[in-house]
Amino acid sequence: MTTMKRFQGKVAIVTASTQGIGFSIAERLGLEGASVVISSRKQKNVDEAVEKLKARGIEVLGVVCHVSNAQHRKNLIDKTLQKYGKIDVVVSNAAANPSVDPILETQESVLDKLWEINVKASILILQDSAPHLQKGSSVVFISSIAAYQPQASMGMYGVTKTALLGLTKALATEMSPDTRVNSVAPGFVPTHFADYITKDESVRKAVEERTLLNRLGTTEDMASATAFLASDEASYITGETLVVAGGIPSRL
């Protein structure tokens, strides 16, 4: 594991970070010296994740936060400021994919939920945190390879992830020069969120064969890319999306 300490003295908020990609990102930032603020919807998950991170010597604060709840978002920022007094990094990782229906058959309530959690909450969490971001701060959105080519079974999810690419560009302009805004577009990573890949051996194999590296991604792969973009090593990078997908085609 890395011994770099790129986040010494920094405070990082990671949403939806008690398992999967979000947890690995929080762990990576913490191991590199950040004080990390993790969150998810369930207190039990928050408590368990806090214990795991503390066991690795990481300074961590856990807060229950359903990102589509305004009071929860405000509480997340308030608690962070009460404990650490500032914010240097925001990683917006929360996402939902409640349906596998074709877009034209997707219920309006499901469309609302997809926009609410995957796009709108990403904006609202930044509206709350932006006034407290330090000079030289960094925002990273977690998009998806599906942003470039939405798949049939998750078409609308893919479209919301495409919206994050536009949001990255727009906010990079709006938040410059003091805050950089980038995103990571993960390929297929076997997490609880994407268990449909791992449950079926033939699906897994088909996905692996689509990559040039003949393997699925790991949560650590995504954490490494996110940590790079959030760190001062990427101090001249803003408005960009880093595709971390093992060579699955994304664009020209």
Side-chain angles (χ1 to χ4, degrees), residues 190-210:
T191 60
H192 173 65
F193 186 79
D195 61 3
Y196 68 92
I197 300 171
T198 38
K199 275 194 311 213
D200 184 326
E201 192 54 45
S202 63
V203 172
R204 185 186 179 117
K205 214 162 169 37
V207 174
E208 285 173 348
E209 282 166 6
R210 280 182 63 198

Side-chain angles (χ1 to χ4, degrees), residues 43-186:
Q43 185 71 54
K44 177 176 178 287
N45 294 359
V46 170
D47 293 343
E48 285 171 5
V50 164
E51 284 314 306
K52 281 185 202 155
L53 293 173
K54 278 189 170 159
R56 301 212 61 186
I58 291 167
E59 169 58 43
V60 55
L61 168 67
V63 183
V64 170
C65 179
H66 196 313
V67 291
S68 60
N69 180 315
Q71 198 47 55
H72 282 203
R73 289 192 306 268
K74 184 179 182 309
N75 185 49
L76 177 68
I77 304 307
D78 287 350
K79 287 250 165 74
T80 301
L81 294 170
Q82 276 163 20
K83 182 152 189 191
Y84 300 119
K86 62 168 187 163
I87 305 167
D88 300 285
V89 176
V90 177
V91 179
S92 185
N93 173 59
N97 185 27
S99 160
V100 292
D101 293 333
I103 292 174
L104 297 183
E105 291 169 25
T106 301
Q107 293 175 357
E108 186 174 357
S109 61
V110 173
L111 292 175
D112 286 346
K113 184 175 182 181
L114 278 157
W115 280 113
E116 181 94 24
I117 292 174
N118 298 4
V119 184
K120 198 168 117 186
S122 296
I123 298 168
L124 294 174
I125 204 109
L126 284 183
Q127 286 185 355
D128 290 339
S129 52
H132 312 286
L133 284 168
Q134 304 297 294
K135 198 171 168 44
S137 56
S138 176
V139 172
V140 183
F141 293 114
I142 306 302
S143 178
S144 169
I145 188 72
Y148 295 95
Q149 191 62 56
Q151 283 180 285
S153 62
M154 45 202 288
M156 200 59 215
Y157 170 83
V159 172
T160 62
K161 293 300 193 174
T162 312
L164 289 183
L165 306 188
L167 191 60
T168 298
K169 294 273 185 210
L171 286 176
T173 303
E174 194 171 309
M175 299 179 81
S176 65
D178 291 341
T179 301
R180 296 180 301 103
V181 184
N182 294 292
S183 58
V184 170

